[in-house]
């Protein structure tokens, strides 16, 4: 009714069959590898089997091997940054999202590339625990500057299969004497339907520790107001795909304001992600949202620079 469009990318590959040098088994293996490669290059219309694509497949295999080695070698070449979240009312920093970074051959690799590799190899359990400890450690210094500051960390769907994760979180919080009220676990909406039992258990454990839950990327897929009422979450983060919609239509702006209003009625705070321009910021502030996250205010910042920024406030 509101004519809101949601865009999804698809990956296509092209291979000729029969391909004389390859056996049927080798053909299928290369096809699967090519599909995986295409998923990491969504801007291309399709990938064609060639010597160049073969080199890319080899590079991806080398990347996966190096990634696993780095994880097992005490998270070598990994570090975290933080992207501030500001108050929609006055633009002051009130929270931040911890983001994972990894270097391969001296270059920063997108999390969209390396996180799926970690999940496939079940290395995400080790990485998720490390990220949580970094989050807790960083919160100690940040809270000394802003007492009511919160730090959020992303939880992978695969991490819900780590039965000891909740206990580990409590142990880390005890180790650094950090209260759960300063922490927020971010999960995407797909979690709520794919792993409902594991999700419920995890959310209950977080509640016991005082950790809040944020529903991330709301509106990026099949979203409905049912999720706002049915599933436990304290913060709703609206995806940037919705932001694109509201900058060119007054009716769509009203739609976003309706979502914000509904969230407030359910006792949830709203953060709008991906704000990059002054025009977007002006429109967003009229929706009644609580918080804003985006390059218009702050890009992801190295922790030492973030501490310096807070000390100057």
């Amino acid at each position: 009714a509101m004519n809101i469009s949601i865009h999804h990318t698809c990956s296509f590959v092209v291979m000729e069959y029969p391909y004389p040098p390859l056996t049927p088994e080798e053909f299928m293996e290369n096809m699967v590898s090519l599909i995986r490669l295409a998923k990491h290059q969504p801007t291309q219309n399709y990938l064609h089997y060639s010597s160049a694509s073969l080199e890319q497949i080899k590079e991806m295999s080398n990347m996966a091997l190096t990634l696993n080695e780095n994880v097992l070698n005490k998270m070598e070449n990994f570090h975290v940054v933080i992207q501030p979240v500001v108050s929609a009312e006055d633009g002051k920093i009130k929270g931040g999202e911890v983001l994972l970074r990894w270097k391969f051959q001296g270059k920063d690799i997108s999390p969209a590339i390396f996180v799926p590799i970690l999940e496939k190899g079940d290395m995400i359990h080790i990485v998720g625990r490390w990220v949580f400890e970094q989050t807790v450690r960083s919160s100690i210094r940040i809270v000394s500057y802003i007492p009511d500051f919160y730090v959020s960390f992303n939880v992978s769907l695969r991490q819900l299969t780590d039965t000891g994760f909740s206990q580990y979180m409590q142990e880390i919080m005890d180790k650094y004497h950090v209260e759960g009220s300063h922490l927020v676990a971010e999960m995407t909406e797909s979690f709520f339907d794919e792993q409902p039992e594991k999700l419920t258990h995890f959310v209950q454990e977080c509640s016991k520790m005082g950790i809040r839950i944020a529903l991330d990327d709301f509106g990026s897929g099949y979203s409905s107001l049912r999720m706002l009422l049915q599933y436990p979450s304290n913060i709703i983060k609206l995806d940037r795909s919705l932001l694109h919609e509201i900058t060119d239509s007054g009716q769509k702006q009203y739609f976003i304001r309706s979502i914000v209003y509904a969230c407030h009625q359910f006792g949830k705070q709203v953060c709008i992600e991906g704000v990059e321009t002054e025009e977007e910021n002006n429109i967003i502030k009229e929706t009644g949202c609580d918080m804003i996250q985006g390059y218009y205010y702050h890009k992801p910042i190295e922790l030492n620079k973030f501490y310096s920024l807070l000390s100057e406030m």
Side-chain angles (χ1 to χ4, degrees), residues 2 15 22 58 71-72 84 102 122 127 133 167 176 302:
M2 289 293 183
M15 287 187 68
L22 301 178
K58 291 179 181 178
V71 171
L72 295 176
W102 177 62
D122 278 339
V127 175
E133 182 167 5
Q167 181 179 347
Y176 293 101
E302 298 291 336

Side-chain angles (χ1 to χ4, degrees), residues 225-282:
L225 296 183
R226 169 186 66 88
M227 299 186 66
L228 303 182
L229 181 62
Q230 182 174 348
Y231 296 110
S233 57
N234 307 99
I235 301 172
I236 306 299
K237 301 187 73 172
L238 301 188
D239 188 71
R240 178 169 172 77
S241 61
L242 293 177
L243 179 61
H244 282 302
E245 297 288 345
I246 68 174
T247 55
D248 60 7
S249 168
Q251 186 182 34
K252 293 171 183 176
Q253 292 177 35
Y254 177 76
F255 175 74
I256 300 300
R257 286 199 296 270
S258 298
I259 293 179
V260 173
Y261 174 79
C263 290
H264 287 167
Q265 290 299 107
F266 295 147
K268 304 175 189 297
Q269 292 183 305
V270 180
C271 176
I272 298 184
E273 300 179 287
V275 178
E276 297 181 354
T277 67
E278 184 175 3
E279 178 190 10
E280 291 174 345
N281 184 59
N282 292 335

Side-chain angles (χ1 to χ4, degrees), residues 199-222:
L199 172 68
T200 299
H201 174 74
F202 179 75
V203 169
Q204 289 174 345
E205 292 301 308
C206 284
S207 179
K208 293 177 183 177
M209 292 181 281
I211 299 175
R212 290 177 291 166
I213 301 295
L215 174 58
D216 196 14
D217 299 333
F218 184 84
S220 62
Y222 176 74

Side-chain angles (χ1 to χ4, degrees), residues 105-311:
Q105 297 180 345
K107 298 180 181 179
D108 288 320
I109 305 300
S110 168
I113 293 177
F114 71 78
V115 170
I117 299 175
L118 291 172
E119 291 180 330
K120 182 183 177 184
D122 278 339
M123 303 299 286
I124 195 66
H125 294 166
I126 299 174
V127 175
R129 293 187 176 206
W130 182 82
V131 169
F132 180 76
E133 182 167 5
Q134 303 310 303
T135 301
V136 171
R137 291 178 59 185
S138 67
S139 71
I140 299 173
R141 185 166 178 179
I142 294 172
V143 170
S144 69
Y145 295 113
I146 306 177
D148 60 349
F149 192 95
Y150 76 85
V151 189
S152 67
F153 59 99
N154 291 280
V155 180
S156 164
L157 180 61
R158 294 296 291 271
Q159 282 179 262
L160 297 183
T161 62
D162 181 358
T163 56
F165 186 45
S166 298
Q167 181 179 347
Y168 174 82
M169 291 166 61
Q170 184 64 67
E171 291 172 353
I172 292 298
M173 290 166 59
D174 292 341
K175 176 181 177 181
Y176 293 101
H177 306 289
V178 170
E179 296 181 4
S181 58
H182 297 299
L183 304 172
V184 173
E186 293 195 18
M187 294 177 285
T188 60
E189 62 185 68
S190 62
F191 288 26
F192 290 75
D193 287 323
E194 293 183 25
Q195 296 276 0
E197 293 182 1
K198 290 185 174 63
L199 172 68
T200 299
H201 174 74
F202 179 75
V203 169
Q204 289 174 345
E205 292 301 308
C206 284
S207 179
K208 293 177 183 177
M209 292 181 281
I211 299 175
R212 290 177 291 166
I213 301 295
L215 174 58
D216 196 14
D217 299 333
F218 184 84
S220 62
Y222 176 74
S223 303
S224 71
L225 296 183
R226 169 186 66 88
M227 299 186 66
L228 303 182
L229 181 62
Q230 182 174 348
Y231 296 110
S233 57
N234 307 99
I235 301 172
I236 306 299
K237 301 187 73 172
L238 301 188
D239 188 71
R240 178 169 172 77
S241 61
L242 293 177
L243 179 61
H244 282 302
E245 297 288 345
I246 68 174
T247 55
D248 60 7
S249 168
Q251 186 182 34
K252 293 171 183 176
Q253 292 177 35
Y254 177 76
F255 175 74
I256 300 300
R257 286 199 296 270
S258 298
I259 293 179
V260 173
Y261 174 79
C263 290
H264 287 167
Q265 290 299 107
F266 295 147
K268 304 175 189 297
Q269 292 183 305
V270 180
C271 176
I272 298 184
E273 300 179 287
V275 178
E276 297 181 354
T277 67
E278 184 175 3
E279 178 190 10
E280 291 174 345
N281 184 59
N282 292 335
I283 293 174
I284 288 306
K285 295 182 76 170
E286 296 177 0
T287 65
C289 68
D290 305 284
M291 295 168 287
I292 301 174
Q293 182 177 351
Y295 283 15
Y296 178 75
Y297 288 95
H298 299 282
K299 294 182 179 180
I301 308 171
E302 298 291 336
L303 287 178
N304 60 338
K305 294 182 179 180
F306 183 62
Y307 298 145
S308 298
L309 175 64
L310 295 182
S311 66

